[in-house]
Amino acid sequence: MVHERSSRPRPSRNGNEEDSWATAEQGTAELAAESWSALLAPRLAQFAGVARNEHVTRAAYQLAVPQSTLSRAMVRLEEDLGVALFARHGRTLSLTPAGRSFLGSVERALAEVERAAESVRVDADPAAGKVAFGFLHTLGSETVPGLLRTFRADHPRIRFQLVQNYGEAMIERMRAGGLDLCLTSPVPDAPDLVARRLDEQKLRLVVPDDHPLAARKRIRLAEASGELFVTLEPGYGLRRITDALCAEAGFTPKVAFEGEEAETLRGLVAAGLGVALLPPPAVPRPGVAELTVTAPRAVREIGVAWIDGRPDTPPVTAFKRFLLSRRGQLLPR
């Protein structure tokens, strides 16, 4: 299978990243059309060409390589495999049983190379590529949809793979290559990451609406030292922040329930099962009262993180710049 294409990206190590992609596009525009499999797996593509034609001269012409080069490549391939792939009859060839078996596997492999090459090229397209973006569950109902709507006003064809999870899980997925960048809290500090603070969000003490504290507007967190708390599970950023704020207020919270999602905790509070430190809800929840914490200062920082030194595709670069431009404006006020 032959694909006509105008370019083969070769990102430069120097200068602006988007400019380097553009330069690569221009610098390869005059290359002859060729298949990705011939480029990335030449010996397999050469074997397939000879096998289909059963003639070295015709295959050499089709593949645009010298006949002598192609003949030597086939001999070397047989030597490397230790198997005769062709029976030779003067200028013509026929496949041996081993060669025919090998051809079936090679054609499937070359087709997969073609699909893989086209997939990564499509994902890196500056106008219509893909961004794998992770974010906290608490940012999913309002903050992230608003960000994406604003970004896509200028980049309508860029696609997103969205992943919601807690911070540590997203960072591990990012390290494994499954995410390009993520919004998380607290802002991580690790030698392999780049992290930038974007905004901060006030946390409130959420109590049942029939609780003795429910009539209050403000509270010092130490006043809740005797309460049962419902919290996220250990490992979640908001759990670490809750534990740290309670320690700063002089107590260790007595945890009655642990969950995985903030709105579930709010429901547990409404059911009278405890109190919680939570960010504001996207929509007011009946059955609870939300108190401003005056001491200690109860906030969580929201930041964006990515892997240090990992090259970005143009769509990721554009979205990263957009997020950094939203410093102080990330969250609804």
Side-chain angles (χ1 to χ4, degrees):
M1 181 169 59
V2 175
H3 293 277
E4 291 189 2
R5 65 184 195 279
S6 62
S7 62
R8 195 163 68 233
R10 296 175 184 168
S12 169
R13 293 181 180 272
N14 302 312
N16 179 277
E17 192 164 353
E18 288 184 346
D19 291 344
S20 70
W21 279 83
T23 301
E25 294 276 337
Q26 295 169 0
T28 57
E30 296 181 1
L31 287 176
E34 58 184 312
S35 71
W36 284 106
S37 55
L39 175 69
L40 300 176
R43 291 176 68 190
L44 295 183
Q46 289 168 358
F47 164 74
V50 174
R52 294 184 196 114
N53 285 279
E54 296 190 331
H55 198 286
V56 174
T57 302
R58 286 196 295 269
Y61 178 80
Q62 187 180 82
L63 295 168
V65 297
Q67 178 178 331
S68 59
T69 299
L70 189 56
S71 295
R72 287 195 299 272
M74 294 303 97
V75 171
R76 179 64 183 275
L77 180 62
E78 290 177 311
E79 290 175 349
D80 289 345
L81 291 173
V83 175
L85 301 174
F86 298 101
R88 289 163 174 82
H89 316 281
R91 292 179 176 273
T92 63
L93 305 171
S94 62
L95 286 168
T96 65
R100 191 163 301 282
S101 175
F102 188 54
L103 176 61
S105 297
V106 165
E107 287 185 323
R108 288 191 294 274
L110 294 177
E112 185 60 31
V113 169
E114 292 285 345
R115 284 191 292 271
E118 290 300 327
S119 175
V120 296
R121 277 173 52 80
V122 167
D123 286 349
D125 183 276
K130 184 181 77 172
V131 179
F133 177 44
F135 52 93
L136 301 170
H137 288 281
T138 50
L139 301 177
S141 60
E142 187 174 358
T143 299
V144 168
L147 285 173
L148 297 181
R149 181 179 63 246
T150 302
F151 176 75
R152 281 172 60 88
D154 293 324
H155 304 83
R157 295 170 57 208
I158 287 182
R159 297 169 290 120
F160 282 84
Q161 176 190 350
L162 301 177
V163 174
Q164 291 178 270
N165 214 322
Y166 66 98
E168 289 184 3
M170 287 192 296
I171 288 170
E172 287 309 307
R173 183 164 179 167
M174 196 163 59
R175 286 181 171 129
L179 287 176
D180 296 309
L181 68 171
C182 66
L183 288 180
T184 188
S185 177
V187 180
D189 181 14
D192 63 331
L193 300 179
V194 179
R196 298 286 183 266
R197 179 185 180 278
L198 296 179
D199 215 335
E200 68 176 26
Q201 188 174 46
K202 291 182 179 179
L203 301 179
R204 300 168 176 173
L205 185 69
V206 184
V207 302
D209 62 2
D210 59 355
H211 192 281
L213 295 173
R216 301 270 297 274
K217 298 294 184 184
R218 296 174 177 80
I219 189 171
R220 290 179 295 109
L221 189 55
E223 296 178 72
S225 61
E227 301 290 337
L228 293 176
F229 276 71
V230 296
T231 71
L232 296 178
E233 295 177 351
Y236 283 70
L238 188 56
R239 171 63 179 271
R240 295 201 302 274
I241 293 170
T242 295
D243 289 346
L245 288 172
C246 290
E248 190 175 347
F251 70 97
T252 299
K254 296 186 286 289
V255 176
F257 294 91
E258 294 175 333
E260 297 181 342
E261 200 273 324
E263 286 311 300
T264 300
L265 300 187
R266 206 172 244 104
L268 294 173
V269 173
L273 299 175
V275 303
L277 276 172
L278 295 174
V283 177
R285 173 75 180 249
V288 300
E290 308 214 0
L291 314 181
T292 299
V293 178
T294 58
R297 187 169 183 266
V299 298
R300 67 169 180 171
E301 292 186 335
I302 307 293
V304 59
W306 61 88
I307 301 298
D308 189 18
R310 180 179 292 170
D312 291 332
T313 61
V316 174
T317 296
F319 188 59
K320 185 184 293 182
R321 287 177 177 170
F322 167 76
L323 288 177
L324 293 175
S325 76
R326 305 289 295 182
R327 284 190 180 98
Q329 309 169 51
L330 182 75
L331 301 171
R333 300 302 179 191

